[in-house]
């Protein structure tokens, strides 16, 4: 019997990464006889989603247990791994600058790998693969696991680009990548970053895009006088949602006789500031801050045919799933040229337009206005989704990469070694 240990941040709880993991879980269940999920979920208040046949929750590793006491974590095998990780960190020149964060991360990783439930799941099947859906959070324990046949880790944005991390550091990357047998990168940009920063990734990296579900046929655009702009993200510093407000204000000022409606899905720490900024909106601008909603509600909004354009102005990105969802419904996109966004957005891809991260609000407004007034058929966003981002395809590719031992023969091979 084959077994997969899937390490997530929140899944199967209804928060955080559930919308990502659900795109792969059925395909993973089809590849393995038994899938055991270990999450690292802080918030479990919304309950769990239904699990497919063959998938079960092994435990929430975020909840402290008596067995997590430091004296119980000190074992010869763990000490040997810690020495390995420490040496690699020192050799890379990272340890002296980030010793405290390194040790904190190592404690979390060793604790996750030490849990009785994890050990028993590994001991219960000689053909066990460990898959960290993230290289932080729930995935920190993957390199510390012993007794598994293969270790696979996926990297996105916050768990990859160190210059975007708090303090400019992510714990024990050289050790993590050295212990990994396969690394799944969500974009070509992520592949290039791994190649230029970590020699330990040579020959291990495969391109495995995230995906989004979409309708069998795209909805017809509704003829209406009001132009509707949609965005979907956390309301945080990196997502720069307040900049979208500046842009739609500018758009409304260009033609006061043509109403603008901006609908934003998502919540976050800067939501109160954003709400306070809505005072004194021009009469021609309507703003709807929908907050955190189920993904089905976002899909229903797109299916209504109301959206004329999707906007993402983040200062840093991997490849946004929110953009994949928009193009699945035929909605053209305006996005900043950061991370892997250029792999999904651009005039040559017929999905929309890119602007520089440092572009002024007025320049972004002008680009958005041009996108909205383009001739029918100028953009064909859904074609790009069908080619690269349909979750039915991306999920199957990811599952095959996790299950297969041969990188050369795997679909979407992206080795950079």
């Amino acid at each position: 019997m084959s077994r997969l240990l899937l390490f997530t941040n929140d899944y199967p709880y209804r928060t955080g990464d559930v919308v990502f993991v659900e795109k792969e879980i059925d395909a993973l269940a089809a590849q393995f006889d038994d899938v055991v999920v270990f999450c690292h979920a802080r918030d479990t208040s919304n309950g769990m989603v239904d699990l497919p046949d063959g998938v079960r929750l092994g435990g929430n590793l975020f909840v402290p247990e008596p067995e997590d006491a430091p004296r119980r974590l000190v074992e010869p095998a763990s000490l040997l791994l810690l020495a390995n990780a420490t040496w690699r960190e020192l050799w890379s020149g990272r340890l002296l600058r980030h010793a405290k964060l390194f040790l904190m991360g190592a404690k979390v990783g060793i604790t996750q790998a030490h849990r009785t439930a994890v050990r028993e799941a590994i001991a219960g099947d000689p053909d066990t693969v460990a898959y960290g859906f993230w290289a932080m959070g729930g995935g920190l324990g993957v390199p510390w696991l012993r007794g598994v046949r293969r270790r696979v880790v996926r990297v996105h944005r916050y768990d990859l680009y160190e210059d975007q991390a708090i303090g400019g550091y992510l714990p024990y990357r050289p050790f993590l990548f050295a212990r990994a047998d396969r690394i799944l990168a969500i974009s070509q940009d992520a592949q290039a970053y791994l190649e230029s920063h970590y020699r330990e990734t040579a020959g291990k990296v495969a391109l495995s895009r995230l995906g989004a579900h979409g309708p069998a046929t795209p909805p017809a655009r509704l003829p209406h006088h009001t132009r509707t702009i949609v965005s979907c993200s956390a309301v945080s510093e990196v997502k720069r949602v307040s900049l979208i407000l500046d842009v739609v204000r500018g758009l409304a000022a260009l033609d006061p006789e043509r109403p603008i409606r901006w609908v934003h899905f998502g919540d976050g720490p800067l939501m109160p500031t954003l709400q306070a900024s809505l005072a004194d909106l021009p009469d021609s601008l309507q703003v709807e801050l929908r907050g955190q909603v189920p993904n089905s509600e976002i899909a229903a909004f797109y299916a209504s045919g109301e959206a004329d354009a999707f906007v993402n102005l983040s200062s840093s990105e991997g490849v946004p799933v929110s953009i994949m969802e928009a193009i699945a419904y035929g909605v053209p996109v305006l996005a900043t040229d950061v991370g892997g966004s250029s792999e999904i957005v651009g005039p040559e891809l017929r999905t929309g337009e890119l602007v520089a991260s440092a572009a002024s609000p007025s320049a972004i407004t002008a680009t958005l206005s041009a996108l909205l007034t383009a001739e029918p058929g100028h953009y064909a966003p859904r074609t790009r989704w069908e080619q690269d981002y349909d979750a039915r395809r991306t999920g199957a590719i990811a599952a095959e990469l996790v299950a297969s031992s041969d990188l050369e023969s795997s679909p979407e091979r992206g080795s950079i070694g």
Side-chain angles (χ1 to χ4, degrees):
M1 183 174 77
S2 61
R3 174 170 292 163
L4 175 69
L5 304 191
L6 174 61
F7 294 87
T8 69
N9 283 355
D10 303 284
Y11 181 88
Y13 291 98
R14 299 179 189 275
T15 53
D17 61 4
V18 65
V19 296
F20 304 109
V21 181
E22 280 194 322
K23 309 290 174 49
E24 295 184 14
I25 194 64
D26 287 329
L28 289 169
Q31 288 281 353
F32 293 88
D33 298 314
D34 185 30
V35 177
V36 188
V37 181
F38 291 97
C39 64
H40 199 250
R42 297 170 181 265
D43 181 7
T44 61
S45 59
N46 291 326
M48 290 170 47
V49 298
D50 294 332
L51 295 177
D53 291 341
V55 179
R56 56 192 170 96
L57 177 62
N60 182 359
L61 303 182
F62 182 78
V63 179
E65 296 286 351
E67 61 183 306
D68 299 340
R71 63 181 177 82
R72 300 187 64 179
L73 298 176
V74 178
E75 298 178 343
S78 295
L79 291 176
L80 285 173
L81 288 175
L82 181 59
N84 185 333
T86 304
W87 169 250
R88 289 181 181 277
E89 207 76 354
L90 184 63
W91 180 259
S92 68
R94 299 151 51 88
L95 181 61
L96 297 181
R97 291 178 289 122
H98 304 288
K100 182 177 180 180
L101 291 175
F102 165 75
L103 291 173
M104 289 173 60
K107 182 180 183 299
V108 172
I110 294 171
T111 299
Q112 291 176 354
H114 181 268
R115 283 292 178 87
T116 299
V118 174
R119 292 185 174 198
E120 289 179 347
I122 295 172
D125 198 308
D127 184 18
T128 297
V129 175
Y131 174 26
F133 196 84
W134 305 87
M136 283 289 289
L140 282 174
V142 171
W144 307 93
L145 296 173
R146 303 187 305 276
V148 296
R149 177 166 59 85
R150 187 164 64 257
R151 301 174 191 85
V152 181
V153 65
R154 178 186 280 285
V155 291
H156 305 73
R157 181 191 66 84
Y158 96 98
D159 55 352
L160 173 63
Y161 300 102
E162 284 206 290
D163 59 332
Q164 300 294 322
I166 296 174
Y169 175 77
L170 295 171
Y172 52 82
R173 300 295 95 173
F175 173 66
L176 169 65
F177 296 137
R179 291 279 286 173
D181 298 287
R182 179 161 301 169
I183 304 161
L184 306 186
I186 68 167
S187 67
Q188 294 169 346
D189 186 78
Q191 286 183 287
Y193 184 91
L194 288 165
E195 181 181 36
S196 62
H197 286 75
Y198 304 106
R199 61 185 177 83
E200 296 85 359
T201 65
K204 300 179 180 181
V205 181
L207 177 64
S208 176
R209 301 185 189 277
L210 299 177
H213 293 297
T217 57
R221 300 267 75 78
L222 294 177
H224 46 68
H225 185 56
T226 300
R227 292 174 293 184
T228 298
I229 313 301
V230 63
S231 53
C232 179
S233 72
V235 186
S236 61
E237 184 176 354
V238 71
K239 298 301 183 180
R240 302 198 299 181
V241 180
S242 61
L243 179 56
I244 301 178
L245 175 58
D246 292 339
V247 169
V248 294
R249 278 182 183 270
L251 190 63
L254 287 179
D255 184 2
E257 300 302 316
R258 185 76 183 272
I260 299 296
R261 177 190 178 208
W262 173 40
V263 180
H264 179 76
F265 295 98
D267 204 344
L270 297 184
M271 178 60 89
T273 303
L274 181 63
Q275 290 171 327
S277 301
L278 300 183
D280 301 321
L281 291 178
D283 293 338
S284 59
L285 177 58
Q286 174 188 351
V287 174
E288 300 174 23
L289 301 179
R290 300 282 186 94
Q292 199 70 29
V293 301
N295 196 251
S296 58
E297 185 172 325
I298 301 172
F301 178 81
Y302 287 131
S304 71
E306 299 175 55
D308 294 299
F310 180 91
V311 176
N312 178 301
L313 299 181
S314 298
S315 60
S316 175
E317 280 291 359
V319 179
V321 170
S322 59
I323 292 180
M324 301 173 199
E325 292 171 340
I327 66 173
Y329 286 84
V331 180
V333 177
L334 172 70
T336 39
D337 189 3
V338 295
S341 292
S342 62
E343 297 172 34
I344 190 171
V345 179
E348 71 285 352
L349 302 175
R350 299 185 68 201
T351 52
E353 301 292 335
L354 289 169
V355 293
S357 178
S360 66
S362 59
I364 300 171
T365 297
T367 303
L368 179 56
S369 178
L371 183 148
L372 290 167
T373 56
E375 290 293 323
H378 181 78
Y379 300 108
R382 185 176 159 89
T383 301
R384 184 65 175 176
W385 170 77
E386 292 172 338
Q387 177 180 328
D388 286 329
Y389 298 103
D390 185 337
R392 294 170 299 182
R393 182 169 180 265
T394 59
I397 290 171
E400 173 65 22
L401 286 167
V402 171
S404 171
S405 60
D406 183 7
L407 187 61
E408 291 288 335
S409 63
S410 297
E412 287 279 6
R413 177 180 174 267
S415 175
I416 58 172

mmCIF file of all heavy atoms in Angstrom, residues 85-86 88-100 102 162 168-175 177 193 197-198:
data_model
loop_
_atom_site.group_PDB
_atom_site.id
_atom_site.type_symbol
_atom_site.label_atom_id
_atom_site.label_comp_id
_atom_site.label_asym_id
_atom_site.label_seq_id
_atom_site.Cartn_x
_atom_site.Cartn_y
_atom_site.Cartn_z
ATOM 1 N N ALA A 85 21.906 20.779 9.497
ATOM 2 C CA ALA A 85 21.247 22.043 9.158
ATOM 3 C C ALA A 85 22.090 23.234 9.598
ATOM 4 O O ALA A 85 22.210 24.236 8.876
ATOM 5 C CB ALA A 85 19.869 22.090 9.824
ATOM 6 N N THR A 86 22.686 23.139 10.804
ATOM 7 C CA THR A 86 23.499 24.238 11.332
ATOM 8 C C THR A 86 24.736 24.465 10.463
ATOM 9 O O THR A 86 25.095 25.612 10.150
ATOM 10 C CB THR A 86 23.926 23.931 12.778
ATOM 11 O OG1 THR A 86 22.762 23.693 13.570
ATOM 12 C CG2 THR A 86 24.712 25.089 13.368
ATOM 13 N N ARG A 88 25.135 23.708 7.255
ATOM 14 C CA ARG A 88 24.743 24.287 5.972
ATOM 15 C C ARG A 88 24.401 25.768 6.124
ATOM 16 O O ARG A 88 24.707 26.585 5.247
ATOM 17 C CB ARG A 88 23.556 23.531 5.389
ATOM 18 C CG ARG A 88 23.890 22.132 4.899
ATOM 19 C CD ARG A 88 22.689 21.427 4.314
ATOM 20 N NE ARG A 88 23.013 20.078 3.867
ATOM 21 C CZ ARG A 88 23.549 19.778 2.698
ATOM 22 N NH1 ARG A 88 23.823 20.754 1.836
ATOM 23 N NH2 ARG A 88 23.818 18.529 2.364
ATOM 24 N N GLU A 89 23.768 26.105 7.234
ATOM 25 C CA GLU A 89 23.402 27.504 7.475
ATOM 26 C C GLU A 89 24.655 28.350 7.684
ATOM 27 O O GLU A 89 24.754 29.486 7.211
ATOM 28 C CB GLU A 89 22.481 27.584 8.696
ATOM 29 C CG GLU A 89 21.529 28.755 8.703
ATOM 30 C CD GLU A 89 20.355 28.575 7.756
ATOM 31 O OE1 GLU A 89 20.320 27.580 6.996
ATOM 32 O OE2 GLU A 89 19.470 29.444 7.753
ATOM 33 N N LEU A 90 25.600 27.801 8.415
ATOM 34 C CA LEU A 90 26.851 28.515 8.658
ATOM 35 C C LEU A 90 27.645 28.666 7.369
ATOM 36 O O LEU A 90 28.173 29.752 7.063
ATOM 37 C CB LEU A 90 27.679 27.751 9.698
ATOM 38 C CG LEU A 90 28.995 28.397 10.152
ATOM 39 C CD1 LEU A 90 28.710 29.720 10.849
ATOM 40 C CD2 LEU A 90 29.748 27.451 11.089
ATOM 41 N N TRP A 91 27.730 27.605 6.588
ATOM 42 C CA TRP A 91 28.493 27.627 5.333
ATOM 43 C C TRP A 91 27.906 28.632 4.338
ATOM 44 O O TRP A 91 28.636 29.261 3.569
ATOM 45 C CB TRP A 91 28.511 26.227 4.737
ATOM 46 C CG TRP A 91 29.263 26.111 3.443
ATOM 47 C CD1 TRP A 91 28.741 26.069 2.192
ATOM 48 C CD2 TRP A 91 30.685 26.057 3.292
ATOM 49 N NE1 TRP A 91 29.733 25.972 1.245
ATOM 50 C CE2 TRP A 91 30.948 25.976 1.902
ATOM 51 C CE3 TRP A 91 31.751 26.065 4.190
ATOM 52 C CZ2 TRP A 91 32.245 25.906 1.411
ATOM 53 C CZ3 TRP A 91 33.038 25.991 3.680
ATOM 54 C CH2 TRP A 91 33.272 25.904 2.303
ATOM 55 N N SER A 92 26.582 28.792 4.373
ATOM 56 C CA SER A 92 25.929 29.727 3.447
ATOM 57 C C SER A 92 26.035 31.177 3.901
ATOM 58 O O SER A 92 25.617 32.087 3.175
ATOM 59 C CB SER A 92 24.446 29.357 3.295
ATOM 60 O OG SER A 92 23.732 29.600 4.500
ATOM 61 N N GLY A 93 26.574 31.385 5.105
ATOM 62 C CA GLY A 93 26.721 32.748 5.618
ATOM 63 C C GLY A 93 25.451 33.317 6.221
ATOM 64 O O GLY A 93 25.364 34.520 6.453
ATOM 65 N N ARG A 94 24.500 32.465 6.527
ATOM 66 C CA ARG A 94 23.210 32.929 7.023
ATOM 67 C C ARG A 94 23.076 32.830 8.538
ATOM 68 O O ARG A 94 22.302 33.563 9.135
ATOM 69 C CB ARG A 94 22.090 32.093 6.374
ATOM 70 C CG ARG A 94 22.020 32.182 4.882
ATOM 71 C CD ARG A 94 21.445 30.909 4.253
ATOM 72 N NE ARG A 94 20.196 30.499 4.845
ATOM 73 C CZ ARG A 94 18.993 30.911 4.449
ATOM 74 N NH1 ARG A 94 18.908 31.758 3.448
ATOM 75 N NH2 ARG A 94 17.911 30.472 5.031
ATOM 76 N N LEU A 95 23.800 31.907 9.156
ATOM 77 C CA LEU A 95 23.538 31.561 10.550
ATOM 78 C C LEU A 95 23.825 32.710 11.516
ATOM 79 O O LEU A 95 23.004 33.012 12.392
ATOM 80 C CB LEU A 95 24.366 30.334 10.948
ATOM 81 C CG LEU A 95 24.159 29.850 12.387
ATOM 82 C CD1 LEU A 95 22.706 29.437 12.598
ATOM 83 C CD2 LEU A 95 25.092 28.704 12.709
ATOM 84 N N LEU A 96 24.977 33.339 11.401
ATOM 85 C CA LEU A 96 25.368 34.356 12.370
ATOM 86 C C LEU A 96 24.420 35.548 12.363
ATOM 87 O O LEU A 96 24.195 36.191 13.394
ATOM 88 C CB LEU A 96 26.805 34.816 12.097
ATOM 89 C CG LEU A 96 27.871 33.719 12.245
ATOM 90 C CD1 LEU A 96 29.256 34.293 11.986
ATOM 91 C CD2 LEU A 96 27.809 33.075 13.629
ATOM 92 N N ARG A 97 23.841 35.836 11.197
ATOM 93 C CA ARG A 97 22.912 36.975 11.099
ATOM 94 C C ARG A 97 21.510 36.631 11.562
ATOM 95 O O ARG A 97 20.719 37.519 11.898
ATOM 96 C CB ARG A 97 22.871 37.479 9.646
ATOM 97 C CG ARG A 97 24.148 38.156 9.186
ATOM 98 C CD ARG A 97 24.073 38.602 7.738
ATOM 99 N NE ARG A 97 24.093 37.469 6.824
ATOM 100 C CZ ARG A 97 23.152 37.201 5.936
ATOM 101 N NH1 ARG A 97 22.072 37.969 5.877
ATOM 102 N NH2 ARG A 97 23.262 36.165 5.130
ATOM 103 N N HIS A 98 21.180 35.331 11.569
ATOM 104 C CA HIS A 98 19.799 34.947 11.859
ATOM 105 C C HIS A 98 19.725 33.752 12.802
ATOM 106 O O HIS A 98 18.840 32.904 12.665
ATOM 107 C CB HIS A 98 19.076 34.604 10.552
ATOM 108 C CG HIS A 98 19.108 35.694 9.532
ATOM 109 N ND1 HIS A 98 18.388 36.860 9.647
ATOM 110 C CD2 HIS A 98 19.801 35.789 8.357
ATOM 111 C CE1 HIS A 98 18.612 37.622 8.594
ATOM 112 N NE2 HIS A 98 19.459 37.008 7.797
ATOM 113 N N ALA A 99 20.626 33.680 13.761
ATOM 114 C CA ALA A 99 20.712 32.509 14.629
ATOM 115 C C ALA A 99 19.400 32.260 15.383
ATOM 116 O O ALA A 99 18.944 31.109 15.487
ATOM 117 C CB ALA A 99 21.861 32.673 15.622
ATOM 118 N N LYS A 100 18.788 33.305 15.895
ATOM 119 C CA LYS A 100 17.566 33.129 16.682
ATOM 120 C C LYS A 100 16.428 32.584 15.827
ATOM 121 O O LYS A 100 15.729 31.635 16.217
ATOM 122 C CB LYS A 100 17.150 34.450 17.324
ATOM 123 C CG LYS A 100 15.916 34.331 18.204
ATOM 124 C CD LYS A 100 15.578 35.659 18.872
ATOM 125 C CE LYS A 100 14.333 35.521 19.754
ATOM 126 N NZ LYS A 100 13.996 36.816 20.420
ATOM 127 N N PHE A 102 16.703 30.981 13.033
ATOM 128 C CA PHE A 102 17.062 29.619 12.622
ATOM 129 C C PHE A 102 16.667 28.607 13.692
ATOM 130 O O PHE A 102 16.034 27.584 13.410
ATOM 131 C CB PHE A 102 18.563 29.531 12.349
ATOM 132 C CG PHE A 102 19.084 28.123 12.268
ATOM 133 C CD1 PHE A 102 18.830 27.340 11.153
ATOM 134 C CD2 PHE A 102 19.813 27.571 13.323
ATOM 135 C CE1 PHE A 102 19.303 26.027 11.076
ATOM 136 C CE2 PHE A 102 20.283 26.259 13.256
ATOM 137 C CZ PHE A 102 20.021 25.498 12.132
ATOM 138 N N GLU A 162 13.136 35.363 -0.126
ATOM 139 C CA GLU A 162 13.613 35.802 1.191
ATOM 140 C C GLU A 162 13.615 37.314 1.341
ATOM 141 O O GLU A 162 13.441 37.826 2.454
ATOM 142 C CB GLU A 162 15.015 35.253 1.449
ATOM 143 C CG GLU A 162 15.021 33.786 1.811
ATOM 144 C CD GLU A 162 16.221 33.380 2.638
ATOM 145 O OE1 GLU A 162 17.327 33.370 2.078
ATOM 146 O OE2 GLU A 162 16.040 33.053 3.820
ATOM 147 N N GLY A 168 14.046 39.483 6.182
ATOM 148 C CA GLY A 168 14.817 39.042 5.027
ATOM 149 C C GLY A 168 15.381 37.650 5.175
ATOM 150 O O GLY A 168 16.452 37.328 4.631
ATOM 151 N N TYR A 169 14.657 36.773 5.904
ATOM 152 C CA TYR A 169 15.193 35.446 6.190
ATOM 153 C C TYR A 169 14.087 34.407 6.285
ATOM 154 O O TYR A 169 13.027 34.652 6.883
ATOM 155 C CB TYR A 169 15.972 35.469 7.513
ATOM 156 C CG TYR A 169 16.469 34.119 7.971
ATOM 157 C CD1 TYR A 169 17.579 33.534 7.375
ATOM 158 C CD2 TYR A 169 15.826 33.447 9.012
ATOM 159 C CE1 TYR A 169 18.044 32.282 7.808
ATOM 160 C CE2 TYR A 169 16.284 32.204 9.445
ATOM 161 C CZ TYR A 169 17.389 31.630 8.839
ATOM 162 O OH TYR A 169 17.842 30.402 9.256
ATOM 163 N N LEU A 170 14.353 33.235 5.714
ATOM 164 C CA LEU A 170 13.506 32.057 5.875
ATOM 165 C C LEU A 170 14.393 30.940 6.417
ATOM 166 O O LEU A 170 15.487 30.724 5.902
ATOM 167 C CB LEU A 170 12.892 31.635 4.533
ATOM 168 C CG LEU A 170 11.912 32.631 3.910
ATOM 169 C CD1 LEU A 170 11.545 32.196 2.494
ATOM 170 C CD2 LEU A 170 10.652 32.768 4.758
ATOM 171 N N PRO A 171 13.945 30.236 7.456
ATOM 172 C CA PRO A 171 14.847 29.309 8.149
ATOM 173 C C PRO A 171 15.283 28.094 7.332
ATOM 174 O O PRO A 171 14.506 27.535 6.580
ATOM 175 C CB PRO A 171 14.030 28.865 9.377
ATOM 176 C CG PRO A 171 12.610 29.144 9.024
ATOM 177 C CD PRO A 171 12.632 30.333 8.117
ATOM 178 N N TYR A 172 16.519 27.759 7.504
ATOM 179 C CA TYR A 172 17.234 26.579 6.977
ATOM 180 C C TYR A 172 16.844 26.183 5.556
ATOM 181 O O TYR A 172 16.606 25.025 5.253
ATOM 182 C CB TYR A 172 17.132 25.387 7.930
ATOM 183 C CG TYR A 172 15.755 24.955 8.410
ATOM 184 C CD1 TYR A 172 14.934 24.131 7.634
ATOM 185 C CD2 TYR A 172 15.297 25.315 9.663
ATOM 186 C CE1 TYR A 172 13.707 23.697 8.090
ATOM 187 C CE2 TYR A 172 14.067 24.888 10.142
ATOM 188 C CZ TYR A 172 13.277 24.075 9.348
ATOM 189 O OH TYR A 172 12.055 23.643 9.805
ATOM 190 N N ARG A 173 16.869 27.166 4.636
ATOM 191 C CA ARG A 173 16.587 26.839 3.231
ATOM 192 C C ARG A 173 17.595 25.849 2.640
ATOM 193 O O ARG A 173 17.195 24.901 1.947
ATOM 194 C CB ARG A 173 16.560 28.109 2.384
ATOM 195 C CG ARG A 173 15.525 29.161 2.776
ATOM 196 C CD ARG A 173 14.103 28.691 2.600
ATOM 197 N NE ARG A 173 13.535 28.141 3.823
ATOM 198 C CZ ARG A 173 12.265 27.785 3.937
ATOM 199 N NH1 ARG A 173 11.445 27.923 2.910
ATOM 200 N NH2 ARG A 173 11.802 27.294 5.069
ATOM 201 N N PRO A 174 18.913 26.028 2.844
ATOM 202 C CA PRO A 174 19.849 25.056 2.252
ATOM 203 C C PRO A 174 19.595 23.632 2.742
ATOM 204 O O PRO A 174 19.651 22.675 1.964
ATOM 205 C CB PRO A 174 21.219 25.575 2.704
ATOM 206 C CG PRO A 174 21.012 27.041 2.912
ATOM 207 C CD PRO A 174 19.633 27.161 3.483
ATOM 208 N N PHE A 175 19.319 23.468 4.033
ATOM 209 C CA PHE A 175 19.031 22.151 4.596
ATOM 210 C C PHE A 175 17.733 21.591 4.039
ATOM 211 O O PHE A 175 17.651 20.417 3.654
ATOM 212 C CB PHE A 175 18.953 22.284 6.122
ATOM 213 C CG PHE A 175 18.492 21.047 6.833
ATOM 214 C CD1 PHE A 175 19.264 19.885 6.832
ATOM 215 C CD2 PHE A 175 17.283 21.038 7.528
ATOM 216 C CE1 PHE A 175 18.837 18.746 7.511
ATOM 217 C CE2 PHE A 175 16.853 19.903 8.203
ATOM 218 C CZ PHE A 175 17.627 18.749 8.197
ATOM 219 N N PHE A 177 16.216 22.244 1.179
ATOM 220 C CA PHE A 177 16.319 21.864 -0.230
ATOM 221 C C PHE A 177 17.284 20.694 -0.435
ATOM 222 O O PHE A 177 17.125 19.902 -1.376
ATOM 223 C CB PHE A 177 16.733 23.058 -1.070
ATOM 224 C CG PHE A 177 15.710 24.167 -1.073
ATOM 225 C CD1 PHE A 177 16.085 25.498 -0.941
ATOM 226 C CD2 PHE A 177 14.361 23.880 -1.194
ATOM 227 C CE1 PHE A 177 15.138 26.517 -0.940
ATOM 228 C CE2 PHE A 177 13.403 24.888 -1.187
ATOM 229 C CZ PHE A 177 13.798 26.209 -1.057
ATOM 230 N N TYR A 193 14.594 31.683 -9.451
ATOM 231 C CA TYR A 193 15.035 32.127 -8.122
ATOM 232 C C TYR A 193 15.752 30.989 -7.397
ATOM 233 O O TYR A 193 16.813 31.184 -6.803
ATOM 234 C CB TYR A 193 13.828 32.599 -7.322
ATOM 235 C CG TYR A 193 14.185 33.172 -5.959
ATOM 236 C CD1 TYR A 193 14.440 34.529 -5.801
ATOM 237 C CD2 TYR A 193 14.254 32.354 -4.837
ATOM 238 C CE1 TYR A 193 14.755 35.055 -4.557
ATOM 239 C CE2 TYR A 193 14.579 32.867 -3.594
ATOM 240 C CZ TYR A 193 14.825 34.220 -3.453
ATOM 241 O OH TYR A 193 15.146 34.736 -2.230
ATOM 242 N N HIS A 197 19.817 30.989 -6.262
ATOM 243 C CA HIS A 197 20.060 31.178 -4.836
ATOM 244 C C HIS A 197 20.481 29.911 -4.086
ATOM 245 O O HIS A 197 21.140 30.019 -3.046
ATOM 246 C CB HIS A 197 18.810 31.746 -4.158
ATOM 247 C CG HIS A 197 18.543 33.189 -4.454
ATOM 248 N ND1 HIS A 197 18.038 33.626 -5.664
ATOM 249 C CD2 HIS A 197 18.725 34.303 -3.709
ATOM 250 C CE1 HIS A 197 17.915 34.939 -5.637
ATOM 251 N NE2 HIS A 197 18.325 35.380 -4.472
ATOM 252 N N TYR A 198 20.108 28.742 -4.595
ATOM 253 C CA TYR A 198 20.343 27.518 -3.816
ATOM 254 C C TYR A 198 20.889 26.405 -4.707
ATOM 255 O O TYR A 198 20.159 25.802 -5.488
ATOM 256 C CB TYR A 198 19.040 27.045 -3.157
ATOM 257 C CG TYR A 198 18.397 28.089 -2.286
ATOM 258 C CD1 TYR A 198 17.248 28.760 -2.723
ATOM 259 C CD2 TYR A 198 18.918 28.420 -1.036
ATOM 260 C CE1 TYR A 198 16.659 29.731 -1.941
ATOM 261 C CE2 TYR A 198 18.324 29.386 -0.249
ATOM 262 C CZ TYR A 198 17.198 30.041 -0.699
ATOM 263 O OH TYR A 198 16.607 31.005 0.076
#
